[in-house]
Amino acid sequence: MSFVTKSTEFETHGLGDIVLFGNKERMKIDGNDDLLDIFVDSRIGNLSNRVDKLSKRVDMLCKCFSPLDGWKGSLTSMIELLEDLVGPYGQYLQRSKKSNEKEDGDEGDDDKDKRKDWKKLINQILNKVKTMVKQAVSNEEKDAQEAKTCEDDPHTSIEFVKRTFNSISQRLRFCFVNLYTHLPTWCMPLEVAKNMMQSLEILLHDLGDEAQQKDHNIFECENSDGYLRKLSLTKKDCLQILRSLTLLEIPDFGGDIEKIRDFCLANACLLFYTASGSTKLHGAGEFDLLVIDEAAQLKECETTIPLQLLGLHHAILIRDELQLPAMVHSKIAEKAEFGISLFERLVLLGQKKHLLNIQYRMHPSTSLFSLFPNREFYNNKIMDAPTVKNRSYVKHFLGGNMYGPYSFINVTCGKEQFDNGHSPKNMVEVAVVCEIVANVFKEFTLKKQKLSVGVISPYNAQVHEIEKKLGKKYARSVDSDFSISVRSVDGFQGGEEDVIIISTVKSNEKGSVGFLSNSQRANVALTCARHC
């Protein structure tokens, strides 16, 4: 997302062409504002039953298409206010008058007399304001005493127009920003987005709250005509832009959440989704290109789901088949090669593949990548990018020979134990891991270098014990530059951290360390550290 936002010509315009959807919790969308801007929750209910987990995009657009407070209603209100300052205030006073008359039925004679006097006063103010506004638009001079009287009255037309103007401006800003952020560019061109914000800039700079913040507050000038005269001079240019915006051919969804969601999916140029989630795109139009990331981790039957999308001309499968394969739990299914991926199947059938042979993650000394993993798994075909070979890329987080770029620590007194699920754990290794993390954190507090630590174990019981021992002591806060992640080898697929600690749990004379019998898992564990 950072690359996309940096490439946009105008703020967040264009993000409406991108849609992300799937399981919100599993994808960890909350707390990531960039992803929230493009995420559409696939579990949206209908408008009559407002859902708790409404996606940000659909929620924002739903508010923008509200009949009264949406973009059309707010735009119309602003145009009417600029065209006729007297009318809205007269309606306001008439509503107040009717409200008072309604209350008169329950009042005594004394109260009724007071109400009659008040209504008489309102009518006088109304006539007075109409005269004042007409003079302000046609004549540069005003009676100073009359203006001072209006200024002192909290119910004057000036105060009413000011409050109404600011309220509509805020709604317009909200709607304009969300429209050009969340609608596709074909119905929200760049020039339209710029015109929207230009009209707001004119209004707010000359008349609104921004004018007040810049010490030329026209609302509080000694002669209240100043505001009306300024408005008269500004509104001509602004009205021209605002009227052009009313001609926009934006679909009117009437606040229907399902229609908004379907519109976003059908009109996006770039959609991100899980393989199983692509079923919701069947019938959503035609697609030219399909890109499947982590393709070697998908079983063949899973890959066929997105391949059934209509109109596909090209499909690109991306993955390193020398790392984690597709997972099956049944030994029978595994023996029948049910767990093989379409990626692997095509490679076995002789389909030509392109190797991405430059790595940008590790310094050559880290994990001895140039020696063991490169030689063992990739036949020495992987090269190091210039950025990782640079001397400035080298970092040392702990002193001493023990903690070099690649360290083996022999825990001699450890003992294997088994939890109820028959997953092995080694409590002595847990203590050693926690001690190393504590030392790394101590160095972090001294040097204040941004640091991420990953702890990997092939066994779930060991992962659980390490998490339990570490507790929330190193829980990452928003402003912290230190983070720690504890996961299994499978859970770390595709991840990377500055420092990686591997807890193997097992050690014996036979050299039998369970997960190392699978070269793909060993490859993952040995190649996810940036520095050590």
Side-chain angles (χ1 to χ4, degrees):
M1 279 301 297
S2 60
F3 291 110
V4 174
T5 53
K6 288 178 182 177
S7 64
T8 55
E9 293 185 52
F10 181 71
E11 299 181 357
T12 53
H13 176 262
L15 294 185
D17 289 333
I18 307 173
V19 167
L20 166 69
F21 71 97
N23 188 301
K24 192 174 185 178
E25 285 74 26
R26 292 180 63 184
M27 295 170 71
K28 299 179 180 179
I29 298 296
D30 286 331
N32 192 321
D33 290 338
D34 287 343
L35 293 183
L36 280 172
D37 279 335
I38 64 171
F39 181 74
V40 175
D41 197 328
S42 60
R43 295 167 295 166
I44 299 175
N46 55 51
L47 184 61
S48 61
N49 181 21
R50 295 287 295 185
V51 294
D52 294 330
K53 296 180 179 179
L54 190 63
S55 75
K56 179 177 179 181
R57 172 167 292 179
V58 176
D59 186 30
M60 296 297 102
L61 288 178
C62 186
K63 293 176 181 176
C64 290
F65 291 112
S66 172
L68 296 178
D69 298 331
W71 78 277
K72 280 189 176 179
S74 300
L75 194 60
T76 301
S77 298
M78 180 60 80
I79 292 174
E80 290 177 350
L81 180 66
L82 296 179
E83 289 179 333
D84 180 13
L85 298 175
V86 179
Y89 184 61
Q91 295 169 9
Y92 162 73
L93 291 180
Q94 289 294 336
R95 288 194 299 270
S96 300
K97 180 179 179 180
K98 289 180 180 180
S99 176
N100 293 332
E101 288 176 348
K102 186 177 180 181
E103 294 176 0
D104 282 348
D106 300 326
E107 295 175 340
D109 292 336
D110 292 339
D111 290 331
K112 287 183 177 180
D113 291 336
K114 292 178 180 178
R115 287 295 180 185
K116 288 180 180 178
D117 293 337
W118 177 240
K119 285 187 287 183
K120 183 178 180 180
L121 179 60
I122 289 177
N123 288 328
Q124 291 175 351
I125 294 176
L126 179 58
N127 293 329
K128 185 177 182 181
V129 167
K130 287 183 178 179
T131 302
M132 181 191 72
V133 173
K134 289 179 180 178
Q135 290 176 350
V137 174
S138 62
N139 195 343
E140 293 249 337
E141 296 183 3
K142 285 289 295 179
D143 182 65
Q145 185 60 41
E146 186 181 44
K148 183 66 171 61
T149 302
C150 290
E151 248 188 8
D152 293 338
D153 186 353
H155 299 286
T156 63
S157 63
I158 303 302
E159 290 299 322
F160 173 79
V161 172
K162 173 183 173 181
R163 291 195 302 269
T164 305
F165 173 84
N166 287 334
S167 175
I168 299 174
S169 296
Q170 290 173 7
R171 297 204 309 266
L172 282 176
R173 180 189 287 275
F174 173 87
C175 291
F176 286 174
V177 171
N178 282 286
L179 285 176
Y180 72 66
T181 297
H182 298 299
L183 286 180
T185 52
W186 71 262
C187 68
M188 184 55 60
L190 179 62
E191 287 305 314
V192 172
K194 290 182 177 180
N195 284 341
M196 282 181 165
M197 301 314 292
Q198 182 185 356
S199 63
L200 272 182
E201 184 180 349
I202 293 173
L203 287 169
L204 296 176
H205 181 270
D206 291 340
L207 306 169
D209 292 335
E210 293 181 11
Q212 300 177 47
Q213 295 170 5
K214 295 179 179 178
D215 297 328
H216 51 90
N217 181 3
I218 56 179
F219 294 113
E220 306 298 338
C221 54
E222 291 184 1
N223 185 347
S224 59
D225 298 352
Y227 170 61
L228 299 176
R229 288 198 301 271
K230 188 73 173 179
L231 186 56
S232 178
L233 294 173
T234 304
K235 71 176 185 179
K236 183 178 179 180
D237 293 335
C238 192
L239 276 172
Q240 184 177 356
I241 299 176
L242 293 177
R243 290 193 185 105
S244 69
L245 295 178
T246 61
L247 303 177
L248 285 178
E249 295 184 1
I250 298 177
D252 188 0
F253 303 105
D256 190 314
I257 297 176
E258 288 292 347
K259 288 183 179 179
I260 295 173
R261 194 272 312 266
D262 292 341
F263 176 81
C264 291
L265 294 181
N267 290 277
C269 298
L270 185 60
L271 295 95
F272 293 90
Y273 50 87
T274 59
S276 58
S278 64
T279 56
K280 295 179 175 59
L281 293 179
H282 292 169
E286 295 189 354
F287 298 83
D288 298 313
L289 172 66
L290 173 67
V291 179
I292 303 179
D293 194 17
E294 303 290 354
Q297 281 194 274
L298 282 177
K299 295 184 281 289
E300 282 179 296
C301 58
E302 293 174 314
T303 308
T304 60
I305 300 173
L307 285 174
Q308 295 180 60
L309 293 173
L310 295 177
L312 287 180
H313 294 92
H314 303 281
I316 300 174
L317 308 184
I318 302 175
R319 185 64 187 117
D320 181 357
E321 82 275 19
L322 299 178
Q323 294 201 359
L324 290 182
M327 281 291 294
V328 291
H329 297 285
S330 168
K331 296 296 182 182
I332 297 175
E334 184 178 359
K335 188 175 181 180
E337 296 187 342
F338 181 72
I340 196 170
S341 66
L342 179 62
F343 188 103
E344 290 178 277
R345 183 81 69 187
L346 292 173
V347 171
L348 291 173
L349 292 173
Q351 180 70 32
K352 187 178 179 180
K353 63 179 181 180
H354 176 72
L355 177 67
L356 302 178
N357 63 343
I358 300 178
Q359 68 89 13
Y360 298 85
R361 177 181 298 169
M362 298 168 289
H363 190 272
S365 62
T366 304
S367 286
L368 300 177
F369 191 86
S370 298
L371 299 177
F372 179 72
N374 193 9
R375 181 185 63 200
E376 183 70 18
F377 305 126
Y378 301 99
N379 296 321
N380 292 317
K381 294 180 180 178
I382 303 297
M383 297 181 291
D384 302 310
T387 52
V388 299
K389 291 191 291 186
N390 195 300
R391 180 176 296 180
S392 62
Y393 196 77
V394 180
K395 293 184 180 180
H396 298 283
F397 300 99
L398 287 175
N401 296 329
M402 178 184 288
Y403 301 110
Y406 202 97
S407 304
F408 289 94
I409 301 176
N410 184 21
V411 182
T412 57
C413 52
K415 183 179 179 180
E416 290 179 40
Q417 302 174 14
F418 294 87
D419 66 357
N420 295 332
H422 307 294
S423 177
K425 59 184 179 181
N426 187 320
M427 297 307 295
V428 176
E429 278 194 24
V430 171
V432 172
V433 168
C434 293
E435 182 67 20
I436 295 174
V437 171
N439 290 337
V440 172
F441 182 74
K442 184 178 179 180
E443 287 296 312
F444 160 77
T445 57
L446 295 175
K447 298 179 180 179
K448 294 299 181 182
Q449 285 182 306
K450 188 173 183 179
L451 178 60
S452 61
V453 179
V455 180
I456 303 176
S457 180
Y459 307 108
N460 289 331
Q462 188 75 348
V463 169
H464 174 73
E465 292 296 335
I466 294 173
E467 288 179 330
K468 182 179 176 181
K469 184 74 173 177
L470 291 174
K472 296 183 179 180
K473 184 176 180 180
Y474 307 105
R476 185 174 185 177
S477 60
V478 177
D479 57 347
S480 174
D481 286 331
F482 183 87
S483 64
I484 184 165
S485 175
V486 184
R487 285 179 275 174
S488 65
V489 177
D490 289 12
F492 223 92
Q493 170 65 42
E496 59 182 69
E497 307 291 355
D498 295 324
V499 178
I500 292 292
I501 303 170
I502 304 174
S503 176
T504 60
V505 178
K506 295 182 178 182
S507 178
N508 49 58
E509 295 178 354
K510 298 179 182 179
S512 176
V513 181
F515 82 105
L516 289 178
S517 61
N518 185 315
S519 62
Q520 292 164 308
R521 284 187 170 81
N523 188 10
V524 171
L526 296 173
T527 58
C528 54
R530 296 191 194 98
H531 304 293
C532 64

